[in-house]
């Protein structure tokens, strides 16, 4: 931008000379590479070719940080973006399935089949007779509660006797309200390393995860949010986790 002032000659008899001011605007390209990248980005926006653009940036990245940034940007424009985010966080469903299969010793189909046959041996027989005990011990009291349709008392007795599986099974038969109360009681009694995570997942309390998790586990918290949070919940939960990371 340049400025110039020009004095114009006034006609004879005029008291003073007239001044004209001019502003000249010129375009001077000093960052040709920046201008080229700007044009390229504008073309990408017009053509909606964001995935290919991000992939080129990933391929040209010189640092791991830069590569991660473009990788996370790329998944925003892909189908199943949440699934892609999980993969970037290190959670591939295929790999996890293999790990679980190994842990359960289910590498081949025969072991699964054999286990199912083994479990069937312990299923109650449909034939024959069985005794319905109405004694005064825990089993007898549970029986009496079931015979009168009092699922809640039967569940309380199971919880009191630390028979958690029986309590949950009976609570399912007793309806959603009883099941929800039983779950809360179960979580109150259980003290394993993953109890709070299980509680949050079952109760759909995703805010508890992002608010209370150790920040060393921010990847795991984000993975849980990606997996379970509803679309309208997702942005606020991510903001909450991001705020914690910034402040702590």
């Amino acid at each position: 931008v340049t400025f110039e002032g020009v004095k114009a000659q006034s006609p004879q008899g005029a008291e003073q000379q007239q001044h004209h001011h001019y502003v000249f605007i010129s375009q001077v390209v000093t960052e040709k590479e920046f201008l080229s990248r700007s044009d390229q980005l504008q073309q990408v926006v017009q053509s909606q070719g964001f995935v290919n653009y991000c992939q080129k940036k990933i391929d040209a990245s010189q640092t791991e940080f830069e590569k991660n940034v473009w990788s996370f940007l790329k998944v925003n424009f892909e189908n199943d973006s949440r699934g892609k985010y999980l993969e970037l966080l290190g959670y591939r469903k295929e790999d996890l399935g293999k790990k679980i299969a190994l842990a359960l010793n289910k590498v081949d189909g025969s072991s699964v089949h054999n286990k199912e046959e083994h479990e069937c041996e312990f299923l109650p027989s449909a034939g024959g007779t069985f005794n319905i005990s109405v004694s005064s011990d825990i089993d007898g009291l549970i029986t009496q509660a079931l015979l009168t349709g009092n699922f809640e008392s039967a569940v309380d007795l199971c919880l009191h006797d630390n028979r958690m599986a029986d309590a949950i099974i009976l609570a399912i038969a007793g309806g959603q309200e009883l099941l929800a109360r039983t779950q809360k009681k179960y979580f109150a009694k259980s003290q394993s390393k993953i109890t709070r995570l299980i509680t949050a997942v079952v109760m759909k309390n995703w805010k508890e995860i992002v608010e209370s998790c150790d920040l060393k586990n921010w990847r795991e918290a984000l993975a849980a949010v990606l997996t379970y949070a509803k679309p309208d919940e997702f942005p606020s939960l991510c903001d909450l986790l991001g705020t914690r990371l910034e402040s702590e």
Side-chain angles (χ1 to χ4, degrees):
V1 179
T2 57
F3 302 91
E4 183 177 335
V6 178
K7 292 182 179 180
Q9 294 294 331
S10 300
Q12 289 183 350
E15 295 183 357
Q16 61 181 8
Q17 294 180 330
Q18 294 181 347
H19 291 267
H20 296 282
H21 301 282
Y22 298 92
V23 178
F24 299 94
I25 300 176
S26 304
Q27 185 176 12
V28 180
V29 178
T30 58
E31 296 288 345
K32 294 183 178 180
E33 183 181 352
F34 177 79
L35 185 61
S36 175
R37 293 203 306 266
S38 177
D39 291 339
Q40 183 183 6
L41 181 59
Q42 191 170 10
Q43 292 174 6
V44 170
V45 172
Q46 292 174 350
S47 65
Q48 299 292 301
F50 300 112
V51 173
N52 291 334
Y53 178 77
C54 291
Q55 186 59 53
K56 290 179 180 178
K57 290 294 185 180
I58 293 170
D59 296 337
S61 297
Q62 297 181 354
T63 65
E64 192 66 24
F65 175 78
E66 187 179 356
K67 183 178 180 180
N68 286 335
V69 169
W70 284 108
S71 295
F72 274 91
L73 285 174
K74 178 186 173 185
V75 299
N76 285 284
F77 308 107
E78 293 185 302
N79 296 327
D80 187 26
S81 59
R82 290 201 184 189
K84 298 292 185 182
Y85 271 125
L86 285 171
E87 290 183 8
L88 288 174
L89 291 170
Y91 295 95
R92 292 179 58 87
K93 292 183 179 179
E94 296 81 2
D95 295 341
L96 181 59
K98 292 177 182 178
K99 291 178 182 178
I100 293 173
L102 287 172
L104 297 176
N105 195 23
K106 293 182 179 178
V107 179
D108 54 63
S110 60
S111 60
V112 177
H113 182 67
N114 292 337
K115 184 176 180 181
E116 289 177 349
E117 288 183 348
H118 182 68
E119 289 176 345
C120 287
E121 296 176 2
F122 295 94
L123 292 176
S125 174
T129 61
F130 68 98
N131 178 261
I132 301 177
S133 173
V134 289
S135 58
S136 59
D137 60 6
I138 292 293
D139 282 346
L141 292 173
I142 292 173
T143 299
Q144 293 176 57
L146 291 176
L147 292 176
T148 58
N150 191 343
F151 285 99
E152 185 169 1
S153 294
V155 167
D156 287 339
L157 287 165
C158 289
L159 290 172
H160 176 75
D161 201 35
N162 205 33
R163 293 156 64 168
M164 300 300 180
D166 289 343
I168 295 296
I169 293 297
L170 290 174
I172 293 172
Q176 286 297 319
E177 186 177 342
L178 177 58
L179 177 59
R181 291 202 303 269
T182 305
Q183 287 172 338
K184 289 181 180 179
K185 292 178 181 178
Y186 167 78
F187 292 133
K189 290 173 69 73
S190 180
Q191 297 296 329
S192 71
K193 292 187 294 184
I194 61 171
T195 297
R196 291 185 69 179
L197 176 60
I198 295 175
T199 304
V201 171
V202 172
M203 299 299 179
K204 297 180 172 57
N205 188 2
W206 319 126
K207 192 174 181 181
E208 164 71 11
I209 294 178
V210 297
E211 278 187 334
S212 304
C213 74
D214 190 323
L215 284 180
K216 291 186 295 185
N217 303 125
W218 70 267
R219 289 175 180 269
E220 288 73 21
L222 181 56
V225 171
L226 284 165
T227 301
Y228 295 109
K230 295 178 181 178
D232 58 331
E233 300 173 320
F234 183 69
S236 60
L237 291 169
C238 288
D239 285 343
L240 184 57
L241 182 59
T243 300
R244 283 194 64 201
L245 287 168
E246 287 181 345
S247 61
E248 298 184 28

